[in-house]
Amino acid sequence: GALSKAVIDSLRSESFSTFRVSAKRADKRLTLTSMEVARDVGAAICEETGKKVSLKDPDLTVYLELLSKEVYYAIEKVQGPGGMPVGVSGKVACLISGGIDSPVAAYRMMKRGCRALFVHFSGRPLVSRASEEKVRELVQLLTIHQYTSTLYVIPFGEIQRDIVANAPAPFRVVLYRRVMIRIAQELAKREHCWGLVTGDSLGQVASQTPENLTVIEEAAVLPLLRPLIGMDKVEITDQAQQIGSFAISIEPDQDCCSLFTPPHPSTKTRLDDIQKVERMFDIGALVKQGLEKAELTEFTFPQ
């Protein structure tokens, strides 16, 4: 009847030789089964258009969704992002730089149902706010998937300067990261997050060797999640392009990761060595300093 007519009208502009009808019945109390509806609509299409049915390899598929009081039909399926609704898997704190990896890591956690809180470590006051502007753009982009976001920006330059002045050069990168993890973790606890998320990919840079990842993770009490750990740069870049973050990420800036990076960082740091170096600092005071200077911004979608 009306359904067949509506479907046939939609098919008039389509070019195809063979077709099939795929029906799903949400309400099993309907008198007709999904197979019966598919057969009836298919027969009407055959009669009206003279096209042949091919269940195995059709040129076109008509999709029917049978609800209690209405029927939806479509002749095209568009692949959505998939995943789970944001929020069903709790809340995580995502460390976000202006780079390619961390926005993708955050997106992948959001896709698995996590609400993302964002934490950015800026090289300020020793560098400009360029990385912060990029991060704001990235967070605004990612907010499309969760409607509201919170970003904490931590001016990290002075903490880095303190580490540079007192720590042996090879250990600096791991030390920075361990302090970042501790600061992010305090914010995460404050915001009721169950885990921390980083954009680490195994072996990609000096801080991402198995040894260094292990030593950095030791500073965390909350689970440290690394959704990109087994992905290579090409795969990560592809996903960044897919979600729209790539163009923002490649804008030039100087973030705290590139500030004071020694020419030959240690790639096989041992925990006892790092702990020895950390005893030269008041780590608690550095964490407190970072937390006190944290700046909070809220984002909404639509803006």
Side-chain angles (χ1 to χ4, degrees), residues 118-122 124 129 132 135-136 151-155 290 293-297:
F118 297 97
V119 182
H120 173 63
F121 291 88
S122 158
R124 198 157 40 91
R129 288 178 178 262
E132 294 172 41
V135 165
R136 285 177 209 284
L151 166 68
Y152 283 98
V153 173
I154 318 290
K293 294 192 173 173
E295 299 162 12
L296 183 144
T297 313

Side-chain angles (χ1 to χ4, degrees), residues 166-168 171 174-175 178 182 215 218 269-283:
N166 297 290
F171 296 137
V174 171
L175 271 173
R178 281 172 61 92
R182 290 180 175 108
V215 169
E218 195 274 339
T269 311
R270 288 173 37 192
L271 182 59
D272 52 354
D273 289 339
I274 277 289
Q275 287 172 333
K276 210 176 289 176
V277 175
E278 282 186 344
R279 282 196 280 275
M280 296 155 57
F281 295 88
D282 183 344
I283 296 290

Side-chain angles (χ1 to χ4, degrees), residues 96-116:
I96 186 165
S97 67
I100 295 168
D101 303 343
S102 51
V104 176
Y107 172 78
R108 289 177 78 88
M109 294 309 297
M110 291 159 93
K111 195 172 162 181
R112 299 313 303 155
C114 292
R115 172 163 285 285

Side-chain angles (χ1 to χ4, degrees), residues 91-95 117-119 121 152 154 177-197 219-224 283-294 296:
K91 196 170 171 186
V92 291
C94 300
L95 280 73
L117 165 80
F118 297 97
V119 182
F121 291 88
Y152 283 98
I154 318 290
R177 303 257 170 199
R178 281 172 61 92
V179 174
M180 285 179 191
I181 290 292
R182 290 180 175 108
I183 293 171
Q185 182 164 262
E186 290 310 310
L187 293 171
K189 287 178 184 170
R190 194 185 290 178
E191 295 274 354
H192 311 294
C193 298
W194 64 268
L196 301 172
V197 178
V221 178
L222 291 177
L224 186 53
I283 296 290
L286 293 180
V287 171
K288 189 164 179 271
Q289 182 184 332
L291 290 169
E292 280 170 358
K293 294 192 173 173
L296 183 144

Side-chain angles (χ1 to χ4, degrees), residues 200-202 226-232 235-236:
D200 294 319
S201 164
L202 188 61
R226 299 184 174 105
L228 312 184
I229 197 72
M231 294 173 76
D232 62 33
E235 293 167 314
I236 298 167

